[in-house]
Amino acid sequence: MTTTLGTVVLDQITDARAPWSAVVAAGDVLTIIDLHGNQAVDTLLYAAADHSIRYSAAATITAQRNLFLTSGTVLRSDDSTPLMTIVADEVGNHDTVGGACSQESNTLRYGHHTKHQHACVENFLVEGAKWGLGKRDMVSNINFFMNVPVDADGTLGIVDGLSAPGKSLSLRAEVDTLVLVSNCPQINNPCNGFDPTEVRMVVTRS
């Protein structure tokens, strides 16, 4: 397991299937620890001072000329403002194109019998409401720890994760950043090994 450096200013467990949020101050480092392994952590980022400045997959991918996220990736907004930088990564590959599960997508992909299942979009809406965010504020998200390989012809799929118990990644806030998380409740594909589990969120200050 990663040893976090600096003074711990927040240390919380996010339950399986549950949402989480916090403002990470500029310069502080958020470490997300995949306690049991193979758990997808869906994440949205907003500038805390102006929620219209928010994570953009397109701007991030274009700037780094790479589809996948790992150490050194700067997570950017639509206007290319750096929000957070991945400063450590024990997994080496995180997804930014697979999107978040929803009741609608579950029904389409896995059948009408899944409509009642709680999903990431619902987590985002519940947790985002605490910060004045609604459906119109939902944008493309990051799927930390989720493995979404993309073939040369553009075909992508969600397959078994590359993470393992205790693996982590760390993100340094470049501006005060609201981090909104859905600890993904998906049970219909292998992004969580069909068994969602808890994760640990640690914020440290140098």
Side-chain angles (χ1 to χ4, degrees), residues 129-152:
K130 298 177 181 177
W131 303 90
L133 299 171
K135 206 164 192 176
R136 71 178 64 181
D137 301 303
M138 298 297 105
V139 292
S140 55
N141 63 288
I142 302 162
N143 293 306
F144 288 123
F145 303 115
M146 193 164 93
N147 188 15
V148 183
V150 179
D151 294 337

Side-chain angles (χ1 to χ4, degrees), residues 60-206:
T60 299
I61 292 167
T62 299
Q64 72 168 3
R65 303 178 68 82
N66 189 328
L67 194 58
F68 301 105
L69 312 180
T70 187
S71 296
T73 294
V74 179
L75 306 172
R76 299 176 182 275
S77 68
D78 278 336
D79 64 358
S80 209
T81 299
L83 296 172
M84 304 187 91
T85 299
I86 300 176
V87 293
D89 179 12
E90 295 183 327
V91 177
N93 186 328
H94 304 271
D95 168 66
T96 195
V97 297
C101 62
S102 66
Q103 291 180 330
E104 291 81 3
S105 65
N106 281 342
T107 301
L108 180 64
R109 291 172 177 167
Y110 309 112
H112 193 72
H113 66 284
T114 65
K115 187 175 182 180
H116 70 283
Q117 294 174 356
H118 193 58
C120 284
V121 170
E122 285 70 47
N123 272 344
F124 283 145
L125 291 173
V126 168
E127 194 69 14
K130 298 177 181 177
W131 303 90
L133 299 171
K135 206 164 192 176
R136 71 178 64 181
D137 301 303
M138 298 297 105
V139 292
S140 55
N141 63 288
I142 302 162
N143 293 306
F144 288 123
F145 303 115
M146 193 164 93
N147 188 15
V148 183
V150 179
D151 294 337
D153 65 358
T155 302
L156 60 83
I158 300 172
V159 300
D160 280 343
L162 302 172
S163 187
K167 296 283 188 182
S168 68
L169 80 156
S170 298
L171 305 125
R172 183 185 63 233
E174 304 302 343
V175 297
D176 292 352
T177 302
L178 169 61
V179 181
L180 191 60
V181 159
S182 169
N183 192 25
C184 185
Q186 182 59 258
I187 59 173
N188 302 290
N189 69 50
C191 72
N192 297 330
F194 306 99
D195 182 22
T197 53
E198 62 189 4
V199 295
R200 182 181 171 196
M201 317 296 283
V202 181
V203 177
T204 53
R205 182 168 297 161
S206 300

